[in-house]
Amino acid sequence: MPDVISVTPNHKSEVHTTHSWDFLGLDYNSQSNTLLQKGNYGEDIIIGVIDSGIWPESKSFDDTGYGPPPARWKGICQTGDFFDASNCSNKIIGARWYASEYSSEQLEGEYVSPRDKMGHGTHCASTAAGNLVSNTSFHGLAAGSVRGGAPRARLAIYKVCWANLGCSRAGILAAIDHAIDDGVDVISMSIGSPTEFLETLHAIAKGIPVVFAAGNNGPAPQSIQNNMPWVISVAATTMDRSFPTVITLGNKQRLVGQSIFYETQQSNTNGFTMLVYGESCDNITLTKLNITDKIVLCYSPTTIAEILPRKNFAEALTDVLIAGGRGLIYAQYTVNIPLQLEIPYALVDFEIANEISSYISSTSNPLVKISPAYNTVGDHVLAPKVAAFSSRGPNPTFTGILKPDIAAPGVSILAAKKEGYEFDSGTSMACPHVAGIVALIKSIHPDWSPAAIKSAIVTTASVVDAYGVQIKAEATPRKIADPFDYGGGHIDPNKIVDPGLIYDINPNDYTKFLNCTLGLSDECDSYVDQQYQLNAPSIAITDLKDIVSVWRTVTNVGPCNLIYKAFVQPPAGVSVFVEPNLLSFDNNNKVKTFKVTFVANRKVQGDYTFGSLTWSDGSNHSVRIPLAIRTIIQDFYADTA
């Protein structure tokens, strides 16, 4: 077909796997005046969730009190295994599934229908738009009410992810096309892929924001996924809730780790169990020990550099259970990603692990008791922090586009799975938080473009915690977070509705960007310059030798007759000049263009430094964009870490 520009081989993608709304300042109380109330709880906004399906019987999707779907809705309710027309409702207004490329043998054990076998899609859908459900908890943990960010929004479900098969790219592209034609207002995709979903530009051209998970391959640099400039890529953070777990040693010493351990399975009447030192807890080490019915300390100081908490803990847990262990104490550099388990376990840092190791060495009969976890909430919990697993920039695909865009809660999120509620962690959980917030913004500002909504989210984000201290990122070691960790910062929903200025982008500019990037147009500036000059709410310069200038345009969406002044926090080793540094707006002048010039003050090869540019009206509006600048001397070498 002559209109086809390129053909991409099909491949599999992966799913990225609620006190959080209170943490974000969105109080459900109708007397409050938050974004939630201003956005009418997302009433009649349609969120398309492209994921692993849905469990329609969950209370989170009860349609009691809902009227018929909005008149603009054109979708269908596709039936299948254990999913008939009655499973769609005035809450779940449509559902489709995509499995044409799989054989019946491959799909054995799955629901060949929109019904969710994995639970991932149900969790994400309820996080974005689940009803308020009272008296929920996970075995007593996180007790209270659970809900989505836009609890009155409608849901359109597109099942593209299948248990043990992943997520088909062909199915995803078909789902995107259907979601556009069906009439969704927002698309939420907690899916990752080594290649970009460029086809999402069609949704943007129709005014539909697309929200993606940023990936779970952190803290490695350049691990970020879903890097297109027109989508919102979401990093994951912790919130002000933790799950302390008391570890009592046989000498009565009490230490504290974290877990989501919810049942006791101790071997003695006094609750104590034999404790053994399993070092790295790999298969070879454990076969040399007798760990049957014992708690195993997994702590290997010589392999600390090789530990990836999200991956290694799961491997150690499996090996301990196979070898007959009752539970484990696992040492790692971050304890903020506990799993929900009914075996005794605790995550501890290396300091506590060393104390436990010393105790084991001091006695011939080491004992331990791991108590069930409890939850603690409040300002005394250091939060938010960028999660260790959250993928990091710089952007490996479009180097002049800063990614991720924003960070949101994604650790130990309680949401629907089947007919109950469970915890899950991942940028998959952060993504529907932003999708729910986008739904609320769409309710207030239906005329805003996807770029305007993204700009408002990025420029109002916070880079400090409740105490005014810079947000940290879990890494090796923990550090002050920078734009490659969280983009513009941590999302601050109540500021988004009135950002003051926005960096808007016409979808045609994205099309030009894409055509020039792919080499499909002869009418282009340089590849890098196309990225620098896109009117994004961030600036990333990858090759500052001497001087680079970029232009940005802002539109006043706040009160008229205001003057904004530029304030710059320059990246280290770089001078930044803004011309003009005052922008005056009135009824007749709502759009202003300015130039930002970066000058290298030192000849250093290939190191990123960070800063910000803020436009302030001296009162209610501070419009901040992040800066990431890398100086270079020679083109053939760069350190992008």
Side-chain angles (χ1 to χ4, degrees), residues 511-522:
T511 302
K512 179 182 178 183
F513 168 92
L514 181 60
N515 289 339
C516 291
T517 299
L518 297 181
L520 302 175
S521 174
D522 296 328

Side-chain angles (χ1 to χ4, degrees), residues 310-390:
R310 196 175 173 89
K311 178 173 181 284
N312 292 70
F313 172 68
E315 294 174 352
L317 173 65
T318 299
D319 289 340
V320 167
L321 294 179
I322 290 174
R326 180 174 294 276
L328 73 163
I329 299 170
Y330 187 80
Q332 58 187 36
Y333 57 80
T334 174
V335 296
N336 288 318
I337 46 176
L339 302 178
Q340 53 190 39
L341 298 171
E342 53 183 323
I343 67 165
Y345 88 99
L347 305 178
V348 298
D349 61 23
F350 299 127
E351 178 182 350
I352 290 178
N354 189 58
E355 291 191 49
I356 298 173
S357 174
S358 298
Y359 162 70
I360 293 174
S361 301
S362 71
T363 178
S364 60
N365 186 36
L367 299 173
V368 68
K369 178 172 68 174
I370 302 177
S371 300
Y374 62 96
N375 48 261
T376 181
V377 177
D379 289 344
H380 54 283
V381 178
L382 180 62
K385 295 195 295 287
V386 178
F389 59 76
S390 189

Side-chain angles (χ1 to χ4, degrees), residues 61-310:
F61 312 124
D62 183 357
D63 72 344
T64 301
Y66 285 84
R72 65 186 183 281
W73 174 247
K74 301 181 182 66
I76 65 171
C77 184
Q78 186 179 1
T79 59
D81 292 348
F82 298 96
F83 197 100
D84 58 31
S86 68
N87 292 126
C88 290
S89 65
N90 288 330
K91 179 67 174 180
I92 303 171
I93 61 174
R96 299 177 185 262
W97 51 276
Y98 305 83
S100 59
E101 67 194 83
Y102 299 121
S103 67
S104 57
E105 289 79 12
Q106 288 175 302
L107 292 167
E108 186 175 353
E110 249 284 8
Y111 299 111
V112 186
S113 74
R115 184 170 292 277
D116 186 6
K117 175 75 171 180
M118 299 167 60
H120 188 272
T122 300
H123 199 280
C124 292
S126 65
T127 300
N131 298 325
L132 177 71
V133 181
S134 302
N135 301 317
T136 60
S137 72
F138 180 76
H139 295 273
L141 293 173
S145 298
V146 66
R147 63 177 173 87
R152 293 290 298 178
R154 313 299 181 104
L155 285 164
I157 303 302
Y158 303 87
K159 181 176 177 178
V160 300
C161 302
W162 302 84
N164 303 318
L165 295 173
C167 315
S168 160
R169 183 178 184 88
I172 292 169
L173 301 189
I176 292 170
D177 283 345
H178 278 141
I180 295 169
D181 293 340
D182 289 346
V184 305
D185 297 302
V186 184
I187 294 176
S188 179
M189 296 180 63
S190 292
I191 294 172
S193 169
T195 57
E196 302 294 332
F197 294 102
L198 302 178
E199 299 80 5
T200 51
L201 183 52
H202 298 310
I204 301 299
K206 296 290 187 180
I208 304 168
V210 181
V211 186
F212 268 105
N216 297 327
N217 295 317
Q222 291 188 303
S223 55
I224 191 80
Q225 295 180 334
N226 301 318
N227 296 308
M228 300 80 71
W230 50 84
V231 304
I232 304 173
S233 305
V234 188
T237 59
T238 65
M239 56 180 162
D240 63 340
R241 180 174 66 195
S242 66
F243 300 95
T245 302
V246 176
I247 304 164
T248 306
L249 304 179
N251 61 4
K252 307 303 181 185
Q253 183 179 6
R254 289 164 58 91
L255 303 168
V256 178
Q258 277 207 70
S259 74
I260 305 179
F261 162 44
Y262 57 90
E263 289 182 4
T264 57
Q265 296 185 17
Q266 312 292 353
S267 60
N268 302 325
T269 55
N270 63 2
F272 282 88
T273 302
M274 288 289 295
L275 175 63
V276 63
Y277 185 22
E279 298 182 0
S280 61
C281 287
D282 62 279
N283 192 10
I284 296 174
T285 301
L286 294 178
T287 56
K288 301 175 183 177
L289 303 171
N290 176 14
I291 68 167
T292 303
D293 288 332
K294 298 176 182 177
I295 301 293
V296 185
L297 172 64
C298 302
Y299 170 48
S300 179
T302 60
T303 60
I304 286 175
E306 303 169 15
I307 290 176
L308 293 173
R310 196 175 173 89

Side-chain angles (χ1 to χ4, degrees), residues 520-577:
L520 302 175
S521 174
D522 296 328
E523 300 178 0
C524 299
D525 299 320
S526 72
Y527 163 77
V528 173
D529 197 52
Q530 279 294 320
Q531 299 186 39
Y532 291 173
Q533 305 306 338
L534 191 69
N535 198 43
S538 60
I539 299 174
I541 305 294
T542 64
D543 60 351
L544 180 61
K545 290 182 179 179
D546 296 301
I547 299 175
V548 171
S549 293
V550 302
W551 281 260
R552 291 292 187 269
T553 298
V554 290
T555 302
N556 182 23
V557 294
C560 296
N561 301 313
L562 287 178
I563 297 176
Y564 281 81
K565 183 177 181 180
F567 294 89
V568 175
Q569 288 186 324
V574 178
S575 292
V576 182
F577 303 95

